[in-house]
Each structure stands twice: as C-alpha cells, then as structure tokens.
C-alpha cells in the first residue's frame, strides 16, 4: 500500500467523504474509516437544502436519491400542539444509508480508502505521521472528521471529552402513514423525538433523551412505552407504526459542549468541530459546509497560495463566523423547548 499522501482524512462520514470528493480533484487523498458502506447511522435524516447547490457541484444530486421534500414543521408537547411552521429553505428526507453510500461511491472515484482506525497523528518535520491499527502513513495535511467523539479526542486531550455527557439517542425506521412534506418534533420528559420520511417511504423515528430520564427504565421498549407515549402524538404513532428493523440503533455520551475547529495544526470538520442540537436539523448541512470550507483552505495551502498557519487561522475564523451563532441559538432553543412550562 502507498504510504505518502497529500491529504489524509480520518473518518469517512458526511464531512470526511465530502472533503475527500472535493480534495481528490487535485490531490492524492486517503480516507481512513473502520466501517464499511452502506451503513445506518444515528441521525434524524432531514437534510437542509442549504447545501444542495454545493453537493450538485460535486456531482451529487440529492433530488435524484429522494423525492421526499420537507417544507412543513410541527411541534407538540404532552397533549398540546404548540407550533406549526413553514420551513423557508426546506429539506430532503434521506437515509444516511443512501446518502453516505452515494458520497462514498463518488469519493472513491479518485480518493483511496483504508478500512482501519486512526490511533494517533503526530507532526514530524512539517509532515504528519498517521498511525492506524495496521499502518504508519504520512501526509502533508491531515483533516479530522471522526464525528461526535472518538479515541482521537482523548489522544488530543480535548476538554469536552473530559466531561460526562448526559445525552443518548435512539433511532428506528417504521412503516407509518404520515405526510411526505412534514417533519414533526414531539417533546416529552427529558427529551424530544423527530419523525419524518426517508426516500423509501419509511418513517424515521429518532430521539434524544437525557440519561437522568432514561435510567429508571430497563430498556428502550419500556422507555418508549412509559415515557414517549406520554406525548399524545407519539402514543398514536406507537399504536400504528410497524418496525422495519429488528432492533433500534442507539448511542450514548453525545456532547454538545463547545469544541475547537483547529487543534494544533489539524483541521477539524463536521461534528468533530462542533455538534449542533439535533432539533435544528442542521448538523448534516454543517458537516458538509465545514468540509467545503476546510477543503478550500487546504487547496490554497497545498498550491502554496497561503502558508499552513494562514490556512489554520482562516479556517478557524471562518468556521466561527459561520457556525458559532447557530450553535448558540441551538443551545437556547433546546433549553426552551425542553422546559416543562
Ligand atoms: C439524535 C440525532 C439526530 C440528528 N438529526 C439530524 C437531522 O435530522 N438533520 C441533520 O442535518 N443532522 C442531524 N444530526 C446531526 C448529524 O447526524 C451529524 O451532524 C452528522 O452526522 C455529522 O457528520 P460527520 O461526518 O461529522 O460525523 P459522522 O457521520 O458521525 O462520521 C464520523 C466517522 O468517523 C469514523 N471514525 C470515528 N473514529 C475514527 C477513528 N479513530 N479513525 C477513523 N475513523 C473514525 C466513524 O466510523 C464515522 O464514519 C443528528 C444528530 C443526532 C445525535
């Protein structure tokens, strides 16, 4: 296997794959990820249209993958319907199974892939040394796109990883009759659930819950039964919905703490730079947008138009300008929507 690359990307989720597609037009790119494609991933699967044009420029037309166009929103709590709204930009309902696979197929036209896990990245004489379970590789620039939390966050002693996070998430696809153009949010004690359709007509139920609320119940079905059904709309959902998978997927320790978009000389993209509260329906678009931003600066750096330090400063400044206020509003909104009154 080749050992030297222009760019190595740790993590082949949405952010890593997007960066791989853009950067592999000009450079030798390697993406390292321990999982194979396609795969289901934790996500509400509502993709904001804000990245549609950029994805088209990369040769990905999401409208070809899904005709579930969502431009209406409703929010309930308990037995009350609190808010309905039209979404000005709107979004597409698309499963991560299909979207990540499409990006992967595009990326591998020009980028190399390695099925492995990155354990460490160090800088030696202006070159990065990337250590995986089975290889030692080298790159002029490394981008970290390892998602919400990974062993690299521990390695780099990032402050958010030192704190315990109370959030866990559950996702499952169902057969259920609901309008194509609607995304619903339903709040209950300690969390909220999103419902919307994906490309094959299945409905994705994806919810977030505070561990404090969850720990009194022994498992996910019991929690669904006892807590989610306290919301009238979710009670109706569980009465009629037919599960498509044998069991749900779940993850814990989801952190919404502030992170840095640059660590040392490494660029962080997607959730690795910051995770927005899921109710904003914006995380995927931010992952893709941050990958575009980082790829533009890496291109300028590798073409010797700017120095590496300028690249890091420009990315960090632009990232904050673009995303910091969204993340802040997301935190406020989540507090307000989860407040019992
Ligand atoms: C409950 C919930 C609901 C959500 N709903 C929505 C929604 O409806 N709409 C929306 O836009 N966003 C939503 N989001 C956010 C969205 O899912 C994320 O923002 C998005 O997945 C970020 O993509 P990413 O590429 O940064 O990370 P990921 O897609 O998680 O990819 C990270 C990749 O890194 C790999 N990796 C990890 N560690 C290593 C390592 N050491 N070496 C190599 N590879 C590694 C993993 O295998 C993975 O493939 C939701 C999030 C949650 C938690």
């Amino acid at each position: 296997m080749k050992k030297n690359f222009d760019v190595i990307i740790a993590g082949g989720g949405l952010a890593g794959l997007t960066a791989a597609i853009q950067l592999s037009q000009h450079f030798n790119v390697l993406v390292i990820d321990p999982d194979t494609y396609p795969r289901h991933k934790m996500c509400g699967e509502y993709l904001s249209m804000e990245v549609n044009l950029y994805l088209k420029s990369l040769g990905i037309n999401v409208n070809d993958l899904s005709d579930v166009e969502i431009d209406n929103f409703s929010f309930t709590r308990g037995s009350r319907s609190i808010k309905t709204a039209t979404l000005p930009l709107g979004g597409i309902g698309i499963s991560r199974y299909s979207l990540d696979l499409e990006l992967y197929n595009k990326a591998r036209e020009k980028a190399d892939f390695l099925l492995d896990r990155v354990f460490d990245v160090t800088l030696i004489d202006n070159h990065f040394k990337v250590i995986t379970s089975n290889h030692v590789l080298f790159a002029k620039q490394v981008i970290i796109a390892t998602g919400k939390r990974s062993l690299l966050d521990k390695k780099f002693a990032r402050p958010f990883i030192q704190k315990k996070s109370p959030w866990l998430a559950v996702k499952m696809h169902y057969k259920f009759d609901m309008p194509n153009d609607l995304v619903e949010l339903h709040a209950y004690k300690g969390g909220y659930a999103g419902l919307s359709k994906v490309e094959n007509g299945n409905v994705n139920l994806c919810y977030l819950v505070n561990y404090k609320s969850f720990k009194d119940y022994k498992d996910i079905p019991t929690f669904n039964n006892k807590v989610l059904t306290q919301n009238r709309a979710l009670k109706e959902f569980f009465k009629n919905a037919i599960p498509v998978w044998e069991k749900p997927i779940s993850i814990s320790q989801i952190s919404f703490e502030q992170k840095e978009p640059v660590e040392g000389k490494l660029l962080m993209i997607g959730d690795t730079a910051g995770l927005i509260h899921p109710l904003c329906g914006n995380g995927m678009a931010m992952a893709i947008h941050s990958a575009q931003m980082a790829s533009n600066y890496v291109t300028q750096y590798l073409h010797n138009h700017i120095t590496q330090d300028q690249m890091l400063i420009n990315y960090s400044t632009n990232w904050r300008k673009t995303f910091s206020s969204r993340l802040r509003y997301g935190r406020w909104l989540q507090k307000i929507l989860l407040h019992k009154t």
Side-chain angles (χ1 to χ4, degrees):
M1 181 188 166
K2 217 162 65 178
K3 283 206 173 306
N4 290 285
F5 295 87
D6 293 324
V7 183
I8 291 180
I9 300 169
L14 285 183
L17 291 171
T18 303
I21 298 170
Q22 182 172 334
L23 287 167
S24 63
Q25 307 302 318
H26 305 285
F27 308 109
N28 298 320
V29 174
L30 174 71
V31 181
I32 306 174
D33 195 292
D35 282 342
T36 53
Y37 303 83
R39 60 218 184 171
H40 287 289
K41 287 207 126 186
M42 181 56 64
C43 193
E45 304 186 321
Y46 167 88
L47 175 66
S48 165
M49 288 298 276
E50 71 188 75
V51 286
N52 204 18
L53 274 183
Y54 171 60
L55 286 177
K56 270 191 187 150
S57 77
L58 297 180
I60 308 282
N61 189 351
V62 284
N63 297 96
D64 289 346
L65 303 176
S66 171
D67 58 8
V68 178
E69 291 181 14
I70 301 172
D71 48 20
N72 284 300
F73 164 79
S74 76
F75 177 72
T76 74
R77 176 167 193 115
S79 57
R80 288 179 300 156
S81 170
I82 293 174
K83 188 80 196 154
T84 58
T86 305
L87 302 165
L89 257 182
I92 298 276
I94 181 159
S95 69
R96 292 295 298 272
Y97 192 86
S98 299
L99 182 59
D100 289 34
L101 178 64
E102 184 75 8
L103 290 169
Y104 167 67
N105 283 333
K106 189 79 201 163
R108 70 179 184 162
E109 285 174 11
K110 293 198 170 150
D112 288 312
F113 276 77
L114 175 64
L115 193 66
D116 208 336
R117 191 179 293 278
V118 176
F119 277 104
D120 202 4
V121 183
T122 51
L123 194 58
I124 299 169
D125 297 335
N126 227 18
H127 257 67
F128 290 93
K129 180 176 169 188
V130 176
I131 299 165
T132 72
S133 324
N134 301 308
H135 300 271
V136 176
L137 304 154
F138 298 91
K140 292 177 193 158
Q141 184 59 46
V142 170
I143 296 176
I144 309 292
T146 47
K148 291 169 239 334
R149 63 192 297 124
S150 86
L151 56 90
L152 287 179
D153 296 312
K154 276 205 179 123
K155 227 8 172 274
F156 304 148
R158 302 183 82 195
F160 86 90
I161 205 87
Q162 324 292 340
K163 295 188 196 161
K164 275 208 150 192
S165 170
W167 296 104
L168 60 107
V170 176
K171 166 181 162 173
M172 176 87 162
H173 280 186
Y174 294 85
K175 296 266 174 235
F176 179 69
D177 192 22
M178 74 175 278
N180 259 16
D181 63 352
L182 183 65
V183 57
E184 298 178 3
L185 275 190
H186 302 295
Y188 45 84
K189 191 170 170 253
Y192 55 88
L195 285 177
S196 56
K197 274 194 176 167
V198 293
E199 71 282 356
N200 58 5
N202 289 339
V203 170
N204 180 24
L205 168 79
C206 184
Y207 66 80
L208 193 71
V209 59
N210 197 301
Y211 184 68
K212 230 167 44 191
S213 290
F214 188 81
K215 72 176 180 359
D216 296 335
Y217 304 89
K218 66 178 191 327
D219 52 27
I220 291 168
T222 315
F223 183 75
N224 290 351
N225 208 8
K226 300 272 189 219
V227 179
L228 266 69
T229 54
Q230 285 169 16
N231 178 301
R232 196 168 62 183
L234 289 173
K235 187 173 184 179
E236 200 54 29
F237 173 78
F238 281 112
K239 216 161 75 188
N240 297 299
I242 302 163
V244 175
W245 305 332
E246 251 170 48
K247 53 181 184 145
I249 55 174
S250 60
I251 55 170
S252 61
Q253 291 280 336
I254 303 168
S255 172
F256 299 102
E257 293 284 324
Q258 264 173 290
K259 301 175 183 174
E260 293 297 323
V262 167
E263 296 281 352
K265 304 236 174 211
L266 296 165
L267 296 165
M268 309 277 151
I269 61 174
D271 288 355
T272 320
L275 173 61
I276 193 161
H277 281 283
L279 60 85
C280 302
N282 212 219
M284 289 196 276
M286 280 175 57
I288 291 166
H289 191 172
S290 63
Q292 175 189 22
M293 218 182 255
S295 302
N296 289 344
Y297 291 124
V298 169
T299 303
Q300 290 175 25
Y301 163 55
L302 292 179
H303 280 150
N304 294 319
H305 298 320
I306 54 175
T307 64
Q308 189 180 40
D309 285 344
Q310 278 166 337
M311 170 190 73
L312 299 168
I313 290 168
N314 291 353
Y315 175 68
S316 169
T317 309
N318 203 359
W319 190 94
R320 281 179 219 286
K321 206 168 99 194
T322 312
F323 300 123
S324 290
S325 60
R326 285 190 206 193
L327 289 160
R328 199 165 51 245
Y329 287 129
R331 272 180 227 119
W332 290 345
L333 204 56
Q334 170 136 321
K335 266 195 192 143
I336 293 165
L337 295 188
L338 288 186
H339 196 275
K340 59 176 183 278
T341 58

